[in-house]
Amino acid sequence: MELRQLKHFVAVAEELHFTRAAAKVHVVQSTLSASISGLEQDLGTALLVRNNRRVELTAAGQALLPDAQNALAAAECARAAVDAVRGLLSGKLAVGMIQGLGTIDLPALLARYHRSFPRIEITLRQDAIDALVNATADGGLDLAFVSRPYDPNRVKELSLGTEFLVLAVRRDDPLARQDIVALTDLQRREFIERRADLRTRLHIDSICAGLGFERTICAETNTPGDLVDLVAAGLGIAFLPPALVATSEHIVAVATDPGIPRELALITPSERAPSPAAAAFLGELLSAGTAANRAPGRWQQSAV
């Protein structure tokens, strides 16, 4: 049994199609078929059921798939570790992020990182805060850019500073002529908001409740970009990161009193050390001065 054979088997198992699998691993279909057949001979059992229309896993194939995926992942980690020692860093970096990061220019940081480490494959994932925290803790992501509050039990954090959400309104809205608006003056306005169970929404609702009023929500969406578009269309107003407001020429940002703070942080798993690719990214981040007030190695459990 060879890693090459496991790689070919996993490709077919994931694609359930020989032509697509061959393209995925960059071999011709005949080579792929011969590799799978050789693996089946080594194991003494069929792994796939093939016919003219589809490919299916046998019971033995289903049993092999998780271990084959784990073996390939372990081999990749081992190769990355050796390459790191040799100064030829390679591997994969999975980065999670919320939308509208304002204290860090992530595209520029990733571009600089890629120039330094061109052999590392970068994957980006945008999601809700809780989903990003769970994926980082469970190993689906190497690290993630999130905002407080979140569950800190299984992650470490590097503070990236605080920014304030702004009130996003259409350019022809009377509020657009104000430099600052009191939150309590918005009780008669309709808001577009995130889903009620999302962390940012809960944070905003808590601040408003502390001032003694409950907002009128006319629409909810899970997609930050939709918040921008719906405000631009005149459906309502919304609290957004300044970076998101800047993406539309049809809306403007108005400061609020009191402000709605958003504390940004970079999180990594607390139960395992960063991979070589992740460690290199953290080095780029720190050298860029984004977290100049915290030296490498001063990672700590967040206390929220």
Side-chain angles (χ1 to χ4, degrees), residues 168-183:
V169 301
R170 276 173 56 104
R171 288 192 174 276
D172 58 0
D173 191 297
L175 291 174
R177 297 191 292 271
Q178 298 184 215
D179 293 327
I180 189 168
V181 60
L183 290 181

Side-chain angles (χ1 to χ4, degrees), residues 71-285:
L72 292 175
E76 183 65 30
C77 288
R79 182 182 297 277
V82 172
D83 285 345
V85 172
R86 297 172 58 211
L88 302 171
L89 196 62
S90 64
K92 297 181 179 181
L93 177 72
V95 179
M97 60 179 292
I98 55 174
Q99 286 195 333
L101 287 172
T103 63
I104 181 172
D105 187 347
L106 183 57
L109 178 61
L110 289 172
R112 185 167 60 251
Y113 176 77
H114 178 64
R115 288 193 294 271
S116 299
F117 307 103
R119 297 178 61 192
I120 295 178
E121 178 185 334
I122 301 170
T123 301
L124 290 177
R125 169 180 166 184
Q126 290 184 342
D127 214 326
I129 295 170
D130 284 346
L132 294 175
V133 172
N134 290 334
T136 302
D138 293 337
L141 294 172
D142 290 298
L143 48 89
F145 293 89
V146 299
S147 62
R148 290 177 170 177
Y150 55 82
D151 182 357
N153 289 328
R154 299 173 61 201
V155 295
K156 296 181 288 187
E157 74 160 20
L158 179 67
S159 176
L160 299 176
T162 299
E163 67 175 2
F164 288 86
L165 299 182
V166 295
L167 182 68
V169 301
R170 276 173 56 104
R171 288 192 174 276
D172 58 0
D173 191 297
L175 291 174
R177 297 191 292 271
Q178 298 184 215
D179 293 327
I180 189 168
V181 60
L183 290 181
T184 51
D185 290 343
L186 301 174
Q187 298 189 56
R188 297 182 181 275
R189 296 299 302 263
E190 291 185 315
F191 284 82
I192 307 159
E193 256 301 352
R194 303 145 184 87
R195 200 175 64 215
D197 62 332
L198 295 181
R199 293 277 184 170
T200 301
R201 167 72 178 277
L202 293 171
H203 178 53
I204 296 170
D205 286 347
S206 175
I207 291 175
C208 292
L211 296 172
F213 78 97
E214 182 178 345
R215 292 177 299 152
T216 299
I217 309 298
C218 65
E220 291 182 352
T221 176
N222 296 342
T223 308
D226 289 342
L227 288 168
V228 173
D229 293 339
L230 293 173
V231 172
L235 180 61
I237 59 180
F239 294 118
L240 295 175
L244 274 182
V245 177
T247 63
S248 173
E249 62 182 13
H250 304 295
I251 64 177
V252 297
V254 181
T256 66
D257 180 26
I260 300 176
R262 186 169 82 143
E263 298 178 69
L264 299 173
L266 175 66
I267 59 171
T268 59
S270 60
E271 299 173 356
R272 65 181 186 279
S275 68
F281 180 84
L282 297 175
E284 288 285 331
L285 176 66

